[in-house]
Amino acid sequence: MFRRWYNKVKMKTLLFTALLPCLLMASPVGNTASCKIIEEGFFIPPSSWIDVRMGYEGDFVSDGKMKQKIQGHGRVDTYQQDTNSGTITLNAVKRLDAYALFGSSKTKASWRFTDTTDAIHNTQMETRYDFLWAVGARAIAIEWGGCCLGFGGRYTACNYNVAWLNVDGVSSATQGARCQWHEWQVNGDFSFHIDLFTPYLGVKYSRAHTKVGSFPVAISQSGSGINQFVSRNPVGVYIGCALSTGKYFMLNIEGRLVDEEALTLSADIAF
């Protein structure tokens, strides 16, 4: 009996270990199956058609893969974003999640632009931590056995204060400058429940937009102190895995690829 239990645990551990490197290679999407993963909370009985979860979400974007809108297809060399947030989720009939998110975020970007004399300028910018918010929903559309097909959507926004700006290594004044960022997305994914684990794989369509300004120096090909960034590729892939016994608590890890390179860690407690 002990040997059977040991082999079962070993198989699950190997599965999770195989998934982890993929996750570490890549706005968060989340596991659509989370609508039903936690079946029992601390206070609300399982028979209730509605329940509430609260939790944490940490999102770390190493490359947002943006391009300069003013300069056509000129790439933004790097676009990084770190966010730590609290979440509150309202669940209905273990099939639908509606959630809100409130947190603190900062971003860092570097890009190049060509002026009217064809000179190339290197620009770097970093913001302070500022208030970020998001609203979204996810739902299970089809369920059979341990498999789920789900869909979701989300809108996220933040209005950053600029901490510093360098153009060709020279610091510029940043008083009054802002970095306004927002993103919307829709997604669909498949998940499969394996005892403690619920891995998932999905595709998302998203549009991110950043407006930077107003600086006293030129930061774009137009020669003005304003620039705009948009997503280079709207279609991306995400892969993740949730861990839960089905009672009280759930941990989730997610990686996003193609349209961005990002890692998200989240945890939920059901009441």
Side-chain angles (χ1 to χ4, degrees), residues 45-64:
S47 58
S48 175
W49 68 275
I50 192 168
D51 63 72
V52 177
R53 303 195 307 271
M54 295 187 70
Y56 161 81
E57 180 182 278
D59 183 49
F60 311 100
V61 180
S62 58
D63 188 358

Side-chain angles (χ1 to χ4, degrees), residues 5-215:
W5 174 84
Y6 173 78
N7 288 334
K8 188 177 181 182
V9 172
K10 183 178 179 181
M11 182 181 69
K12 292 171 184 174
T13 303
L14 289 173
L15 174 65
F16 184 72
T17 304
L19 281 171
L20 189 58
C22 297
L23 300 176
L24 293 177
M25 285 190 300
S27 235
V29 181
N31 193 338
T32 302
S34 62
C35 299
K36 58 167 287 183
I37 289 176
I38 306 179
E39 298 178 351
E40 182 179 344
F42 283 101
F43 309 112
I44 301 174
S47 58
S48 175
W49 68 275
I50 192 168
D51 63 72
V52 177
R53 303 195 307 271
M54 295 187 70
Y56 161 81
E57 180 182 278
D59 183 49
F60 311 100
V61 180
S62 58
D63 188 358
K65 296 188 178 179
M66 309 280 276
K67 66 181 180 180
Q68 298 177 64
K69 186 177 180 181
I70 293 177
Q71 195 175 339
H73 296 285
R75 289 195 175 193
V76 176
D77 296 322
T78 60
Y79 192 88
Q80 301 172 337
Q81 190 178 43
D82 293 341
T83 306
N84 292 281
S85 305
T87 62
I88 181 167
T89 304
L90 181 66
N91 175 268
V93 297
K94 303 297 183 185
R95 304 279 289 193
L96 173 66
D97 277 350
Y99 62 88
L101 178 147
F102 307 98
S104 178
S105 177
K106 77 170 183 177
T107 189
K108 184 177 182 180
S110 63
W111 65 96
R112 288 166 288 175
F113 68 92
T114 305
D115 64 18
T116 54
T117 65
D118 291 331
I120 299 175
H121 301 278
N122 293 301
T123 310
Q124 297 86 35
M125 178 200 71
E126 185 171 347
T127 71
R128 298 183 175 89
Y129 277 100
D130 278 291
F131 177 70
L132 177 143
W133 64 273
V135 291
R138 60 178 72 93
I140 297 173
I142 303 173
E143 183 180 358
W144 66 101
C147 297
C148 289
L149 170 64
F151 300 94
R154 173 169 172 160
Y155 179 83
T156 312
C158 187
N159 192 4
Y160 299 98
N161 286 292
V162 178
W164 55 264
L165 174 78
N166 288 339
V167 180
D168 296 329
V170 179
S171 297
S172 172
T174 60
Q175 186 176 2
R178 306 287 286 180
C179 174
Q180 298 173 327
W181 172 86
H182 64 89
E183 180 180 30
W184 64 265
Q185 66 185 28
V186 292
N187 64 278
D189 60 60
F190 284 98
S191 63
F192 184 74
H193 183 67
I194 313 170
D195 200 7
L196 299 177
F197 302 101
T198 307
Y200 61 100
L201 176 66
V203 177
K204 70 185 181 80
Y205 183 94
S206 65
R207 281 294 188 183
H209 182 271
T210 299
K211 182 178 180 180
V212 183
S214 301
F215 291 101

Side-chain angles (χ1 to χ4, degrees), residues 237-255:
V237 176
Y238 59 96
I239 182 173
C241 186
L243 173 66
S244 177
T245 63
K247 293 184 178 182
Y248 315 132
F249 180 79
M250 174 180 65
L251 176 68
N252 195 76
I253 181 171
E254 175 183 285

